[in-house]
Amino acid sequence: MSQALDHVFAALADPTRRSILAMLLEDDMAVTDVAEPFEMSLAAISKHLTILTKAGLISQEKRGRVKWCKLEPNAMKDASVWMQAFGQFEPVNLEAFEKFLETELGDDHGS
């Protein structure tokens, strides 16, 4: 699972790929339609789509002569579960942590 998460987070690290995913939230799209709003070549968009596909975030399928992209609804589930694990911790209270350290280490730590 760790390698799969690495691929998902690496794919999500790029703003162009995040934009593509946001576009695909609306509906399936032809590759040429995905490329339209971006100022880059179709080849560059294809590379982004390949990364998203390898990460399992989208699927691509040929319908006639047109290649379509589809968001995979469960693709981010593992990443989401992983991130939610961090939500169960309280934010660090630095003042309380400092006081704890002073108590534990004594006052001779240079302050």
Side-chain angles (χ1 to χ4, degrees):
M1 178 169 113
S2 175
Q3 192 172 16
L5 272 180
D6 290 347
H7 288 297
V8 168
F9 285 120
L12 293 173
D14 185 273
T16 299
R17 292 192 286 269
R18 290 193 305 270
S19 294
I20 291 169
L21 291 174
M23 291 164 50
L24 292 173
L25 271 172
E26 302 296 319
D27 201 4
D28 299 359
M29 295 178 76
V31 170
T32 51
D33 292 335
V34 170
E36 189 178 309
F38 300 100
E39 291 185 19
M40 60 180 72
S41 68
L42 195 55
I45 288 294
S46 290
K47 286 182 183 180
H48 284 296
L49 294 174
T50 298
I51 292 168
L52 290 168
T53 301
K54 285 183 178 176
L57 295 170
I58 68 168
S59 58
Q60 295 183 63
E61 122 182 71
K62 200 138 184 166
R63 299 179 198 161
R65 300 165 88 183
V66 179
K67 197 175 213 180
W68 286 80
C69 301
K70 175 185 175 191
L71 188 67
E72 288 300 320
N74 294 321
M76 286 194 243
K77 186 178 177 189
D78 287 340
S80 177
V81 167
W82 185 85
M83 288 185 293
Q84 285 174 4
F86 293 94
Q88 50 185 285
F89 299 106
E90 294 284 327
V92 175
N93 180 333
L94 291 177
E95 282 183 42
F97 186 61
E98 245 178 65
K99 286 179 184 172
F100 167 78
L101 287 177
E102 285 174 11
T103 305
E104 289 297 304
L105 302 175
D107 216 3
D108 61 338
H109 63 281
S111 63

Short mmCIF file of all heavy atoms in Angstrom, two decimals, residues 39-108:
data_model
loop_
_atom_site.label_atom_id
_atom_site.label_comp_id
_atom_site.label_asym_id
_atom_site.label_seq_id
_atom_site.Cartn_x
_atom_site.Cartn_y
_atom_site.Cartn_z
N GLU A 39 -2.10 25.80 -21.36
CA GLU A 39 -1.18 26.30 -22.37
C GLU A 39 0.03 25.38 -22.46
O GLU A 39 1.14 25.76 -22.09
CB GLU A 39 -0.77 27.73 -22.05
CG GLU A 39 -1.91 28.71 -22.19
CD GLU A 39 -1.48 30.15 -21.98
OE1 GLU A 39 -0.27 30.44 -22.07
OE2 GLU A 39 -2.37 30.96 -21.70
N MET A 40 -0.21 24.16 -22.90
CA MET A 40 0.87 23.20 -23.10
C MET A 40 0.46 22.24 -24.20
O MET A 40 -0.71 22.19 -24.58
CB MET A 40 1.22 22.47 -21.80
CG MET A 40 0.11 21.67 -21.16
SD MET A 40 0.60 20.83 -19.64
CE MET A 40 0.76 22.15 -18.48
N SER A 41 1.42 21.51 -24.70
CA SER A 41 1.16 20.62 -25.82
C SER A 41 0.29 19.43 -25.40
O SER A 41 0.20 19.10 -24.21
CB SER A 41 2.48 20.09 -26.39
OG SER A 41 3.10 19.23 -25.45
N LEU A 42 -0.31 18.81 -26.38
CA LEU A 42 -1.10 17.60 -26.13
C LEU A 42 -0.20 16.51 -25.57
O LEU A 42 -0.61 15.73 -24.71
CB LEU A 42 -1.79 17.14 -27.42
CG LEU A 42 -2.92 16.14 -27.28
CD1 LEU A 42 -4.00 16.63 -26.32
CD2 LEU A 42 -3.54 15.84 -28.63
N ALA A 43 1.05 16.47 -26.03
CA ALA A 43 2.01 15.47 -25.52
C ALA A 43 2.27 15.68 -24.02
O ALA A 43 2.35 14.72 -23.25
CB ALA A 43 3.31 15.55 -26.30
N ALA A 44 2.39 16.95 -23.61
CA ALA A 44 2.61 17.25 -22.19
C ALA A 44 1.39 16.85 -21.35
O ALA A 44 1.54 16.26 -20.27
CB ALA A 44 2.93 18.73 -22.00
N ILE A 45 0.21 17.14 -21.84
CA ILE A 45 -1.02 16.74 -21.15
C ILE A 45 -1.09 15.22 -21.07
O ILE A 45 -1.45 14.65 -20.03
CB ILE A 45 -2.28 17.31 -21.85
CG1 ILE A 45 -2.37 18.82 -21.62
CG2 ILE A 45 -3.56 16.62 -21.38
CD1 ILE A 45 -2.61 19.25 -20.18
N SER A 46 -0.72 14.55 -22.15
CA SER A 46 -0.73 13.07 -22.16
C SER A 46 0.18 12.50 -21.08
O SER A 46 -0.15 11.50 -20.44
CB SER A 46 -0.32 12.54 -23.53
OG SER A 46 -1.34 12.81 -24.46
N LYS A 47 1.32 13.16 -20.86
CA LYS A 47 2.23 12.71 -19.79
C LYS A 47 1.57 12.85 -18.43
O LYS A 47 1.66 11.96 -17.58
CB LYS A 47 3.54 13.48 -19.84
CG LYS A 47 4.44 13.07 -20.97
CD LYS A 47 5.75 13.84 -20.95
CE LYS A 47 6.60 13.45 -22.15
NZ LYS A 47 7.88 14.17 -22.18
N HIS A 48 0.89 13.98 -18.21
CA HIS A 48 0.16 14.17 -16.95
C HIS A 48 -0.92 13.10 -16.78
O HIS A 48 -1.09 12.54 -15.70
CB HIS A 48 -0.48 15.56 -16.90
CG HIS A 48 0.49 16.67 -16.63
ND1 HIS A 48 1.21 16.78 -15.45
CD2 HIS A 48 0.87 17.73 -17.39
CE1 HIS A 48 1.97 17.86 -15.48
NE2 HIS A 48 1.79 18.45 -16.66
N LEU A 49 -1.64 12.82 -17.86
CA LEU A 49 -2.71 11.82 -17.80
C LEU A 49 -2.14 10.43 -17.52
O LEU A 49 -2.74 9.64 -16.79
CB LEU A 49 -3.51 11.82 -19.10
CG LEU A 49 -4.32 13.10 -19.36
CD1 LEU A 49 -4.96 13.06 -20.74
CD2 LEU A 49 -5.36 13.34 -18.28
N THR A 50 -0.97 10.14 -18.07
CA THR A 50 -0.32 8.84 -17.81
C THR A 50 0.03 8.70 -16.34
O THR A 50 -0.20 7.65 -15.73
CB THR A 50 0.94 8.68 -18.69
OG1 THR A 50 0.54 8.71 -20.06
CG2 THR A 50 1.67 7.39 -18.40
N ILE A 51 0.55 9.77 -15.74
CA ILE A 51 0.89 9.74 -14.31
C ILE A 51 -0.36 9.54 -13.47
O ILE A 51 -0.37 8.73 -12.53
CB ILE A 51 1.65 11.02 -13.92
CG1 ILE A 51 3.04 11.01 -14.58
CG2 ILE A 51 1.76 11.16 -12.40
CD1 ILE A 51 3.77 12.34 -14.51
N LEU A 52 -1.44 10.24 -13.81
CA LEU A 52 -2.70 10.09 -13.08
C LEU A 52 -3.26 8.68 -13.23
O LEU A 52 -3.81 8.11 -12.28
CB LEU A 52 -3.72 11.12 -13.56
CG LEU A 52 -3.43 12.57 -13.18
CD1 LEU A 52 -4.34 13.53 -13.95
CD2 LEU A 52 -3.57 12.78 -11.68
N THR A 53 -3.10 8.11 -14.42
CA THR A 53 -3.58 6.75 -14.68
C THR A 53 -2.77 5.73 -13.89
O THR A 53 -3.33 4.84 -13.25
CB THR A 53 -3.52 6.42 -16.20
OG1 THR A 53 -4.32 7.38 -16.90
CG2 THR A 53 -4.05 5.03 -16.49
N LYS A 54 -1.44 5.88 -13.91
CA LYS A 54 -0.58 4.95 -13.16
C LYS A 54 -0.84 5.01 -11.67
O LYS A 54 -0.69 4.03 -10.96
CB LYS A 54 0.89 5.22 -13.47
CG LYS A 54 1.30 4.73 -14.83
CD LYS A 54 2.78 4.94 -15.09
CE LYS A 54 3.15 4.38 -16.46
NZ LYS A 54 4.56 4.64 -16.80
N ALA A 55 -1.24 6.19 -11.19
CA ALA A 55 -1.56 6.35 -9.76
C ALA A 55 -2.95 5.81 -9.45
O ALA A 55 -3.34 5.73 -8.29
CB ALA A 55 -1.48 7.82 -9.37
N GLY A 56 -3.70 5.44 -10.49
CA GLY A 56 -5.05 4.90 -10.29
C GLY A 56 -6.11 5.97 -10.06
O GLY A 56 -7.24 5.66 -9.71
N LEU A 57 -5.75 7.23 -10.26
CA LEU A 57 -6.69 8.32 -10.00
C LEU A 57 -7.69 8.50 -11.14
O LEU A 57 -8.80 8.98 -10.92
CB LEU A 57 -5.93 9.63 -9.76
CG LEU A 57 -5.06 9.62 -8.50
CD1 LEU A 57 -4.15 10.84 -8.47
CD2 LEU A 57 -5.92 9.55 -7.26
N ILE A 58 -7.26 8.14 -12.35
CA ILE A 58 -8.17 8.20 -13.50
C ILE A 58 -8.01 6.91 -14.31
O ILE A 58 -7.05 6.17 -14.13
CB ILE A 58 -7.92 9.42 -14.42
CG1 ILE A 58 -6.57 9.30 -15.13
CG2 ILE A 58 -8.03 10.72 -13.65
CD1 ILE A 58 -6.37 10.31 -16.26
N SER A 59 -8.96 6.68 -15.19
CA SER A 59 -8.81 5.63 -16.19
C SER A 59 -8.99 6.28 -17.55
O SER A 59 -9.63 7.33 -17.67
CB SER A 59 -9.83 4.51 -15.97
OG SER A 59 -11.14 5.02 -16.01
N GLN A 60 -8.40 5.65 -18.55
CA GLN A 60 -8.53 6.16 -19.92
C GLN A 60 -9.07 5.02 -20.77
O GLN A 60 -8.66 3.88 -20.62
CB GLN A 60 -7.18 6.63 -20.46
CG GLN A 60 -6.61 7.82 -19.72
CD GLN A 60 -5.31 8.30 -20.34
OE1 GLN A 60 -5.29 8.74 -21.47
NE2 GLN A 60 -4.23 8.22 -19.59
N GLU A 61 -9.99 5.37 -21.66
CA GLU A 61 -10.56 4.35 -22.53
C GLU A 61 -10.81 4.94 -23.91
O GLU A 61 -11.18 6.11 -24.03
CB GLU A 61 -11.84 3.80 -21.88
CG GLU A 61 -13.09 3.92 -22.68
CD GLU A 61 -14.32 3.40 -21.96
OE1 GLU A 61 -14.75 4.06 -20.99
OE2 GLU A 61 -14.84 2.37 -22.39
N LYS A 62 -10.57 4.13 -24.89
CA LYS A 62 -10.77 4.58 -26.26
C LYS A 62 -12.22 4.27 -26.66
O LYS A 62 -12.69 3.15 -26.51
CB LYS A 62 -9.79 3.86 -27.19
CG LYS A 62 -9.58 4.56 -28.48
CD LYS A 62 -8.11 4.54 -28.86
CE LYS A 62 -8.01 5.35 -30.12
NZ LYS A 62 -6.73 5.74 -30.50
N ARG A 63 -12.93 5.29 -27.12
CA ARG A 63 -14.30 5.13 -27.63
C ARG A 63 -14.27 5.62 -29.07
O ARG A 63 -14.22 6.82 -29.31
CB ARG A 63 -15.31 5.93 -26.82
CG ARG A 63 -15.39 5.55 -25.36
CD ARG A 63 -16.41 6.41 -24.62
NE ARG A 63 -16.19 6.34 -23.18
CZ ARG A 63 -16.66 7.23 -22.31
NH1 ARG A 63 -17.36 8.26 -22.72
NH2 ARG A 63 -16.43 7.08 -21.03
N GLY A 64 -14.27 4.69 -29.98
CA GLY A 64 -14.11 5.06 -31.39
C GLY A 64 -12.70 5.58 -31.59
O GLY A 64 -11.73 4.94 -31.24
N ARG A 65 -12.59 6.80 -32.12
CA ARG A 65 -11.28 7.40 -32.35
C ARG A 65 -10.85 8.34 -31.23
O ARG A 65 -9.79 8.95 -31.30
CB ARG A 65 -11.30 8.17 -33.68
CG ARG A 65 -11.65 7.27 -34.85
CD ARG A 65 -12.03 8.08 -36.05
NE ARG A 65 -10.84 8.41 -36.84
CZ ARG A 65 -10.87 9.16 -37.91
NH1 ARG A 65 -11.99 9.70 -38.33
NH2 ARG A 65 -9.77 9.39 -38.59
N VAL A 66 -11.70 8.46 -30.23
CA VAL A 66 -11.45 9.43 -29.15
C VAL A 66 -11.07 8.72 -27.86
O VAL A 66 -11.72 7.75 -27.46
CB VAL A 66 -12.71 10.31 -28.92
CG1 VAL A 66 -12.47 11.30 -27.79
CG2 VAL A 66 -13.11 11.03 -30.20
N LYS A 67 -10.03 9.21 -27.21
CA LYS A 67 -9.62 8.68 -25.91
C LYS A 67 -10.28 9.51 -24.82
O LYS A 67 -10.20 10.74 -24.83
CB LYS A 67 -8.10 8.74 -25.78
CG LYS A 67 -7.56 7.85 -24.69
CD LYS A 67 -6.04 7.87 -24.72
CE LYS A 67 -5.50 6.53 -24.29
NZ LYS A 67 -4.05 6.51 -24.31
N TRP A 68 -10.98 8.84 -23.91
CA TRP A 68 -11.72 9.51 -22.83
C TRP A 68 -11.04 9.27 -21.49
O TRP A 68 -10.46 8.21 -21.25
CB TRP A 68 -13.15 8.98 -22.77
CG TRP A 68 -13.99 9.49 -23.89
CD1 TRP A 68 -14.02 9.02 -25.18
CD2 TRP A 68 -14.89 10.58 -23.85
NE1 TRP A 68 -14.89 9.76 -25.93
CE2 TRP A 68 -15.44 10.72 -25.14
CE3 TRP A 68 -15.29 11.46 -22.85
CZ2 TRP A 68 -16.37 11.70 -25.45
CZ3 TRP A 68 -16.22 12.43 -23.15
CH2 TRP A 68 -16.75 12.55 -24.44
N CYS A 69 -11.15 10.25 -20.61
CA CYS A 69 -10.61 10.16 -19.26
C CYS A 69 -11.77 10.16 -18.27
O CYS A 69 -12.73 10.91 -18.44
CB CYS A 69 -9.72 11.36 -18.97
SG CYS A 69 -8.34 11.52 -20.08
N LYS A 70 -11.63 9.34 -17.27
CA LYS A 70 -12.69 9.21 -16.26
C LYS A 70 -12.04 9.19 -14.88
O LYS A 70 -11.04 8.49 -14.66
CB LYS A 70 -13.45 7.91 -16.50
CG LYS A 70 -14.49 7.61 -15.45
CD LYS A 70 -15.12 6.24 -15.68
CE LYS A 70 -16.05 5.94 -14.53
NZ LYS A 70 -16.50 4.58 -14.50
N LEU A 71 -12.58 9.97 -13.97
CA LEU A 71 -12.10 9.97 -12.59
C LEU A 71 -12.48 8.65 -11.94
O LEU A 71 -13.60 8.16 -12.10
CB LEU A 71 -12.76 11.14 -11.84
CG LEU A 71 -12.25 11.43 -10.44
CD1 LEU A 71 -10.82 11.93 -10.48
CD2 LEU A 71 -13.13 12.47 -9.78
N GLU A 72 -11.55 8.06 -11.22
CA GLU A 72 -11.84 6.82 -10.49
C GLU A 72 -12.27 7.20 -9.07
O GLU A 72 -11.46 7.71 -8.30
CB GLU A 72 -10.61 5.91 -10.47
CG GLU A 72 -10.30 5.29 -11.82
CD GLU A 72 -11.45 4.43 -12.35
OE1 GLU A 72 -12.08 3.70 -11.57
OE2 GLU A 72 -11.71 4.51 -13.56
N PRO A 73 -13.54 6.97 -8.74
CA PRO A 73 -14.11 7.50 -7.50
C PRO A 73 -13.43 7.01 -6.21
O PRO A 73 -13.36 7.74 -5.24
CB PRO A 73 -15.58 7.07 -7.55
CG PRO A 73 -15.64 5.99 -8.57
CD PRO A 73 -14.52 6.21 -9.51
N ASN A 74 -12.93 5.79 -6.20
CA ASN A 74 -12.32 5.28 -4.97
C ASN A 74 -10.81 5.43 -4.94
O ASN A 74 -10.16 4.95 -4.02
CB ASN A 74 -12.69 3.80 -4.79
CG ASN A 74 -14.18 3.62 -4.56
OD1 ASN A 74 -14.80 4.42 -3.87
ND2 ASN A 74 -14.75 2.61 -5.17
N ALA A 75 -10.28 6.11 -5.93
CA ALA A 75 -8.82 6.18 -6.08
C ALA A 75 -8.12 6.86 -4.92
O ALA A 75 -7.01 6.52 -4.57
CB ALA A 75 -8.48 6.87 -7.38
N MET A 76 -8.77 7.84 -4.31
CA MET A 76 -8.12 8.58 -3.24
C MET A 76 -8.51 8.08 -1.86
O MET A 76 -8.13 8.67 -0.85
CB MET A 76 -8.43 10.07 -3.38
CG MET A 76 -7.66 10.69 -4.51
SD MET A 76 -7.72 12.47 -4.43
CE MET A 76 -8.58 12.82 -5.94
N LYS A 77 -9.22 6.97 -1.82
CA LYS A 77 -9.71 6.46 -0.54
C LYS A 77 -8.57 6.18 0.44
O LYS A 77 -8.59 6.62 1.57
CB LYS A 77 -10.55 5.21 -0.76
CG LYS A 77 -11.21 4.70 0.50
CD LYS A 77 -12.07 3.50 0.22
CE LYS A 77 -12.64 2.98 1.53
NZ LYS A 77 -13.31 1.71 1.36
N ASP A 78 -7.55 5.43 -0.01
CA ASP A 78 -6.44 5.09 0.89
C ASP A 78 -5.69 6.33 1.34
O ASP A 78 -5.31 6.45 2.51
CB ASP A 78 -5.47 4.12 0.20
CG ASP A 78 -6.06 2.71 0.08
OD1 ASP A 78 -7.00 2.40 0.82
OD2 ASP A 78 -5.56 1.96 -0.76
N ALA A 79 -5.50 7.28 0.42
CA ALA A 79 -4.82 8.53 0.77
C ALA A 79 -5.65 9.32 1.78
O ALA A 79 -5.11 9.88 2.74
CB ALA A 79 -4.55 9.36 -0.47
N SER A 80 -6.95 9.34 1.58
CA SER A 80 -7.84 10.05 2.48
C SER A 80 -7.82 9.43 3.87
O SER A 80 -7.73 10.13 4.88
CB SER A 80 -9.26 10.04 1.91
OG SER A 80 -10.14 10.67 2.79
N VAL A 81 -7.88 8.10 3.93
CA VAL A 81 -7.83 7.39 5.22
C VAL A 81 -6.50 7.69 5.92
O VAL A 81 -6.47 7.96 7.12
CB VAL A 81 -8.02 5.87 5.01
CG1 VAL A 81 -7.66 5.09 6.26
CG2 VAL A 81 -9.45 5.58 4.57
N TRP A 82 -5.41 7.69 5.14
CA TRP A 82 -4.10 7.97 5.70
C TRP A 82 -4.06 9.37 6.29
O TRP A 82 -3.58 9.59 7.40
CB TRP A 82 -3.03 7.79 4.62
CG TRP A 82 -1.63 7.94 5.12
CD1 TRP A 82 -0.85 6.97 5.69
CD2 TRP A 82 -0.84 9.13 5.11
NE1 TRP A 82 0.37 7.50 6.04
CE2 TRP A 82 0.42 8.82 5.69
CE3 TRP A 82 -1.06 10.43 4.66
CZ2 TRP A 82 1.43 9.75 5.83
CZ3 TRP A 82 -0.05 11.37 4.80
CH2 TRP A 82 1.18 11.02 5.38
N MET A 83 -4.59 10.36 5.55
CA MET A 83 -4.57 11.75 6.01
C MET A 83 -5.48 11.95 7.22
O MET A 83 -5.16 12.72 8.12
CB MET A 83 -4.95 12.70 4.88
CG MET A 83 -3.87 12.82 3.83
SD MET A 83 -4.23 14.04 2.56
CE MET A 83 -5.63 13.32 1.74
N GLN A 84 -6.61 11.26 7.24
CA GLN A 84 -7.55 11.42 8.36
C GLN A 84 -6.94 10.95 9.68
O GLN A 84 -7.30 11.44 10.74
CB GLN A 84 -8.84 10.65 8.09
CG GLN A 84 -9.73 11.34 7.08
CD GLN A 84 -10.94 10.50 6.71
OE1 GLN A 84 -11.16 9.42 7.25
NE2 GLN A 84 -11.71 10.99 5.77
N ALA A 85 -5.99 10.02 9.59
CA ALA A 85 -5.34 9.53 10.81
C ALA A 85 -4.67 10.67 11.55
O ALA A 85 -4.58 10.66 12.78
CB ALA A 85 -4.32 8.44 10.46
N PHE A 86 -4.21 11.68 10.81
CA PHE A 86 -3.54 12.81 11.45
C PHE A 86 -4.53 13.79 12.05
O PHE A 86 -4.15 14.62 12.87
CB PHE A 86 -2.62 13.52 10.45
CG PHE A 86 -1.47 12.65 10.05
CD1 PHE A 86 -1.54 11.87 8.92
CD2 PHE A 86 -0.34 12.59 10.84
CE1 PHE A 86 -0.49 11.05 8.56
CE2 PHE A 86 0.72 11.77 10.49
CZ PHE A 86 0.64 11.00 9.35
N GLY A 87 -5.79 13.71 11.67
CA GLY A 87 -6.80 14.61 12.18
C GLY A 87 -7.22 14.30 13.60
O GLY A 87 -7.84 15.13 14.26
N GLN A 88 -6.86 13.12 14.10
CA GLN A 88 -7.32 12.76 15.44
C GLN A 88 -6.42 13.31 16.55
O GLN A 88 -6.73 13.19 17.71
CB GLN A 88 -7.46 11.24 15.57
CG GLN A 88 -6.28 10.43 15.12
CD GLN A 88 -6.55 8.95 15.19
OE1 GLN A 88 -6.55 8.40 16.27
NE2 GLN A 88 -6.79 8.32 14.08
N PHE A 89 -5.33 13.94 16.18
CA PHE A 89 -4.44 14.50 17.18
C PHE A 89 -4.75 15.97 17.40
O PHE A 89 -5.06 16.69 16.47
CB PHE A 89 -2.98 14.34 16.74
CG PHE A 89 -2.58 12.90 16.57
CD1 PHE A 89 -2.43 12.36 15.30
CD2 PHE A 89 -2.39 12.09 17.67
CE1 PHE A 89 -2.07 11.03 15.14
CE2 PHE A 89 -2.03 10.77 17.52
CZ PHE A 89 -1.87 10.23 16.26
N GLU A 90 -4.63 16.39 18.64
CA GLU A 90 -4.82 17.80 18.97
C GLU A 90 -3.64 18.60 18.40
O GLU A 90 -2.52 18.10 18.35
CB GLU A 90 -4.83 17.97 20.49
CG GLU A 90 -6.01 17.33 21.18
CD GLU A 90 -7.28 18.12 21.01
OE1 GLU A 90 -7.22 19.36 20.95
OE2 GLU A 90 -8.33 17.48 20.94
N PRO A 91 -3.87 19.84 18.00
CA PRO A 91 -2.74 20.67 17.60
C PRO A 91 -1.78 20.82 18.78
O PRO A 91 -2.20 20.83 19.93
CB PRO A 91 -3.37 22.02 17.26
CG PRO A 91 -4.83 21.75 17.10
CD PRO A 91 -5.14 20.52 17.90
N VAL A 92 -0.51 20.91 18.48
CA VAL A 92 0.49 21.01 19.54
C VAL A 92 0.37 22.37 20.22
O VAL A 92 0.37 23.41 19.57
CB VAL A 92 1.91 20.84 18.95
CG1 VAL A 92 2.96 21.06 20.03
CG2 VAL A 92 2.06 19.47 18.33
N ASN A 93 0.25 22.34 21.54
CA ASN A 93 0.25 23.56 22.34
C ASN A 93 1.70 23.81 22.74
O ASN A 93 2.23 23.18 23.65
CB ASN A 93 -0.65 23.37 23.57
CG ASN A 93 -0.70 24.61 24.44
OD1 ASN A 93 0.23 25.42 24.46
ND2 ASN A 93 -1.79 24.75 25.17
N LEU A 94 2.34 24.76 22.05
CA LEU A 94 3.77 24.98 22.25
C LEU A 94 4.10 25.48 23.66
O LEU A 94 5.11 25.11 24.22
CB LEU A 94 4.31 25.95 21.20
CG LEU A 94 4.34 25.40 19.77
CD1 LEU A 94 4.83 26.46 18.80
CD2 LEU A 94 5.21 24.16 19.68
N GLU A 95 3.23 26.31 24.22
CA GLU A 95 3.48 26.81 25.57
C GLU A 95 3.47 25.66 26.58
O GLU A 95 4.35 25.56 27.44
CB GLU A 95 2.45 27.86 25.97
CG GLU A 95 2.71 29.21 25.36
CD GLU A 95 1.69 30.24 25.83
OE1 GLU A 95 1.35 30.26 27.02
OE2 GLU A 95 1.25 31.03 24.97
N ALA A 96 2.47 24.80 26.48
CA ALA A 96 2.38 23.67 27.39
C ALA A 96 3.57 22.73 27.19
O ALA A 96 4.13 22.19 28.15
CB ALA A 96 1.07 22.92 27.17
N PHE A 97 3.99 22.56 25.95
CA PHE A 97 5.12 21.70 25.64
C PHE A 97 6.41 22.28 26.23
O PHE A 97 7.23 21.57 26.81
CB PHE A 97 5.25 21.52 24.13
CG PHE A 97 6.30 20.52 23.72
CD1 PHE A 97 6.21 19.19 24.12
CD2 PHE A 97 7.37 20.91 22.93
CE1 PHE A 97 7.18 18.27 23.75
CE2 PHE A 97 8.34 20.00 22.55
CZ PHE A 97 8.25 18.68 22.96
N GLU A 98 6.56 23.60 26.12
CA GLU A 98 7.73 24.28 26.70
C GLU A 98 7.77 24.09 28.21
O GLU A 98 8.81 23.78 28.79
CB GLU A 98 7.66 25.78 26.38
CG GLU A 98 8.76 26.27 25.49
CD GLU A 98 8.61 27.75 25.18
OE1 GLU A 98 8.71 28.56 26.12
OE2 GLU A 98 8.37 28.05 24.00
N LYS A 99 6.62 24.28 28.87
CA LYS A 99 6.54 24.10 30.32
C LYS A 99 6.87 22.66 30.70
O LYS A 99 7.56 22.41 31.69
CB LYS A 99 5.16 24.51 30.83
CG LYS A 99 4.95 25.99 30.85
CD LYS A 99 3.57 26.37 31.33
CE LYS A 99 3.39 27.88 31.22
NZ LYS A 99 2.03 28.30 31.47
N PHE A 100 6.37 21.73 29.93
CA PHE A 100 6.67 20.32 30.18
C PHE A 100 8.18 20.08 30.10
O PHE A 100 8.77 19.43 30.96
CB PHE A 100 5.93 19.44 29.16
CG PHE A 100 6.40 18.01 29.14
CD1 PHE A 100 6.00 17.12 30.13
CD2 PHE A 100 7.24 17.56 28.14
CE1 PHE A 100 6.45 15.81 30.13
CE2 PHE A 100 7.69 16.25 28.12
CZ PHE A 100 7.29 15.38 29.12
N LEU A 101 8.81 20.62 29.06
CA LEU A 101 10.26 20.44 28.91
C LEU A 101 11.02 21.06 30.07
O LEU A 101 11.99 20.48 30.57
CB LEU A 101 10.74 21.03 27.58
CG LEU A 101 10.37 20.25 26.33
CD1 LEU A 101 10.86 20.99 25.08
CD2 LEU A 101 10.95 18.84 26.36
N GLU A 102 10.60 22.25 30.49
CA GLU A 102 11.26 22.91 31.62
C GLU A 102 11.15 22.06 32.87
O GLU A 102 12.11 21.92 33.63
CB GLU A 102 10.65 24.29 31.87
CG GLU A 102 11.06 25.32 30.86
CD GLU A 102 10.34 26.65 31.03
OE1 GLU A 102 9.65 26.85 32.07
OE2 GLU A 102 10.45 27.48 30.11
N THR A 103 9.98 21.48 33.07
CA THR A 103 9.77 20.63 34.24
C THR A 103 10.63 19.37 34.15
O THR A 103 11.26 18.97 35.12
CB THR A 103 8.29 20.23 34.34
OG1 THR A 103 7.50 21.40 34.35
CG2 THR A 103 8.00 19.42 35.59
N GLU A 104 10.64 18.76 32.99
CA GLU A 104 11.38 17.52 32.81
C GLU A 104 12.88 17.71 32.79
O GLU A 104 13.62 16.91 33.35
CB GLU A 104 10.97 16.85 31.49
CG GLU A 104 9.58 16.25 31.50
CD GLU A 104 9.43 15.13 32.51
OE1 GLU A 104 10.20 14.17 32.45
OE2 GLU A 104 8.52 15.21 33.36
N LEU A 105 13.35 18.79 32.18
CA LEU A 105 14.79 18.99 32.00
C LEU A 105 15.39 19.89 33.07
O LEU A 105 16.60 20.03 33.14
CB LEU A 105 15.08 19.58 30.62
CG LEU A 105 14.60 18.77 29.42
CD1 LEU A 105 14.84 19.53 28.13
CD2 LEU A 105 15.31 17.41 29.37
N GLY A 106 14.55 20.52 33.84
CA GLY A 106 15.06 21.49 34.81
C GLY A 106 15.31 22.80 34.10
O GLY A 106 15.12 22.94 32.91
N ASP A 107 15.74 23.78 34.83
CA ASP A 107 15.90 25.13 34.27
C ASP A 107 17.30 25.37 33.73
O ASP A 107 17.65 26.47 33.38
CB ASP A 107 15.52 26.17 35.32
CG ASP A 107 14.84 27.37 34.70
OD1 ASP A 107 14.61 27.36 33.47
OD2 ASP A 107 14.55 28.32 35.44
N ASP A 108 18.13 24.32 33.66
CA ASP A 108 19.52 24.52 33.26
C ASP A 108 19.73 24.24 31.76
O ASP A 108 20.84 23.95 31.35
CB ASP A 108 20.44 23.62 34.09
CG ASP A 108 20.14 22.15 33.89
OD1 ASP A 108 18.99 21.83 33.47
OD2 ASP A 108 21.03 21.33 34.14
#
